Amino acid sequence: MNKNQLTKIYLETNNVCNLSCSFCHGTSREKRFMTYAEFLTILGKIKGKAKYLYLHLMGEPLLNEALPEMAHAARLCGFEVMLTTNGTLLQEKGDFIYKTGDIKKVSISLQAADIIESAPSQITGEKFEKYIKNAADFAKKCSDTNVICVLRLWNIEEDKDKKNDIFLEKLHMLFPDGWIKNRSGFKLFNAPLGEKEVYLEFGKKFKWPNQKNTGKFNAGPTFCYAIRDQIGILCDGTVVPCCLDADGVMSLGNIFENDLEKILSSKRALDIISSFQGKKECEALCRSCGYASQQFKYK
């Protein structure tokens, strides 16, 4: 294992979701919820190994009833706890995010609204309106309690997605004051919020790695911070190099069976680090990853 501390660990509390969004890879793994006891076992093995702990990978984390206790335990262990959600369960199960102080930042994937209505053409319908308003109201509650809230539209394509115009129109109504442009989108300002942290972020669509894709996505050089900067831990304890290995294809070992140091010192892990340092990849799954190809441009 590298002597340097990881920046972030993605810990999947469950791989079950209440939606089936077109932009999400999904997973073919057996559906599973991590128990609180299992979470504590993992927490003991990763304590002090990273600054940020992201309580998501695949699935909708708010479906796990133990999530509030997990977030609390993680914060007590010294992690800055992050969360990503599709936003549909925030009103029902999300109060702990802004009431407990355990969550540092929550990201709401607004493009999940694409399937809130039964027909995509009805995106301006009643359910969509309620979804956007609930997300905005939740963001304001987070801001009032110093939880960073990010509204995410990671669906940008070469030909502009017209649905984003509808999102932006609604958000301008809900956050009517000046928006401040930043590197990834906007910081939203609203009179009652002052300068508290509510953000709107944009991102380009990318090709998820898929073991069925035998060809290389991009013939150019690739780069990824997998293992050097981040790892993922699936809900059955499988350790993977990054948060995009949705099916655990590049298993490095199981954290219930071995210590993290041993897992990240394996030949497979070291080969992955070395290959990306050379601007190439040694794993078949990585060759089909559009995100790794994009990252070379920003390295």
Side-chain angles (χ1 to χ4, degrees):
M1 178 178 177
N2 292 344
K3 293 181 180 180
N4 295 332
Q5 183 188 50
L6 295 165
T7 301
K8 48 187 174 282
I9 295 175
Y10 293 88
L11 180 50
E12 180 185 75
T13 62
N14 53 274
N15 61 0
V16 180
C17 190
N18 60 329
L19 297 180
S20 182
C21 301
S22 60
F23 61 85
C24 180
H25 178 280
T27 179
S28 60
R29 289 179 282 127
E30 180 181 356
K31 303 304 182 186
R32 191 180 192 279
F33 286 83
M34 183 179 289
T35 68
Y36 182 56
E38 290 173 332
F39 181 85
L40 292 180
T41 296
I42 294 175
L43 204 57
K45 292 191 172 188
I46 64 174
K47 182 179 180 180
K49 301 295 193 296
K51 180 177 181 180
Y52 302 107
L53 184 63
Y54 290 73
L55 296 183
H56 59 268
L57 199 147
M58 300 304 296
E60 167 52 51
L62 286 174
L63 288 173
N64 193 317
E65 297 296 335
L67 186 66
E69 290 75 24
M70 291 174 174
H72 183 65
R75 182 178 65 83
L76 292 182
C77 269
F79 287 105
E80 293 190 20
V81 185
M82 312 294 192
L83 191 67
T84 293
T85 171
N86 62 39
T88 58
L89 301 175
L90 287 173
Q91 300 301 310
E92 177 185 351
K93 299 184 176 184
D95 285 4
F96 78 95
I97 293 172
Y98 58 82
K99 286 183 176 180
T100 63
D102 293 326
I103 301 294
K104 174 75 173 180
K105 182 175 80 170
V106 58
S107 298
I108 305 174
S109 295
L110 290 181
Q111 61 267 39
D114 285 358
I115 63 168
I116 295 299
E117 294 288 344
S118 58
S121 61
Q122 299 299 311
I123 194 168
T124 56
E126 180 180 350
K127 291 182 181 179
F128 172 76
E129 298 279 352
K130 182 178 180 181
Y131 173 82
I132 294 297
K133 186 178 185 306
N134 284 347
D137 289 345
F138 190 85
K140 294 173 184 179
K141 289 178 182 178
C142 287
S143 177
D144 287 339
T145 54
N146 295 316
V147 176
I148 300 169
C149 186
V150 178
L151 307 175
R152 300 168 73 177
L153 282 169
W154 283 18
N155 61 354
I156 305 301
E157 296 183 283
E158 294 300 325
D159 52 336
K160 186 179 178 182
D161 189 341
K162 293 299 182 183
K163 289 180 180 178
N164 282 353
D165 292 341
I166 301 173
F167 279 106
L168 294 175
E169 179 184 351
K170 299 302 179 185
L171 288 174
H172 273 295
M173 293 175 62
L174 296 166
F175 295 92
D177 297 324
W179 292 19
I180 304 301
K181 187 80 171 68
N182 61 25
R183 180 177 60 86
S184 56
F186 295 91
K187 184 173 183 178
L188 310 185
F189 286 79
N190 184 273
L193 298 178
E195 294 189 3
K196 297 179 182 179
E197 295 183 281
V198 178
Y199 296 91
L200 174 64
E201 288 186 355
F202 298 94
K204 292 183 178 180
K205 283 187 176 181
F206 61 88
K207 187 178 180 64
W208 277 71
N210 190 325
Q211 60 182 330
K212 295 180 181 180
N213 296 337
T214 56
K216 186 170 167 31
F217 177 74
N218 191 319
T222 58
F223 181 77
C224 184
Y225 283 108
I227 306 179
R228 292 201 306 169
D229 179 74
Q230 62 165 290
I231 59 168
I233 303 176
L234 305 183
C235 56
D236 65 354
T238 299
V239 178
V240 292
C242 77
C243 61
L244 296 181
D245 188 355
D247 290 319
V249 174
M250 296 185 291
S251 173
L252 304 174
N254 193 292
I255 200 163
F256 291 129
E257 301 170 1
N258 288 295
D259 290 335
L260 188 60
E261 290 83 355
K262 183 175 181 179
I263 292 172
L264 299 188
S265 297
S266 68
K267 182 180 184 303
R268 189 175 198 179
L270 296 177
D271 284 347
I272 291 172
I273 294 173
S274 177
S275 66
F276 279 120
Q277 287 175 332
K279 312 301 185 297
K280 57 185 180 180
E281 64 292 299
C282 64
E283 293 282 345
L285 189 69
C286 297
R287 286 194 287 274
S288 68
C289 180
Y291 192 77
S293 299
Q294 288 181 10
Q295 292 313 290
F296 180 77
K297 297 183 295 186
Y298 303 106
K299 195 240 180 214

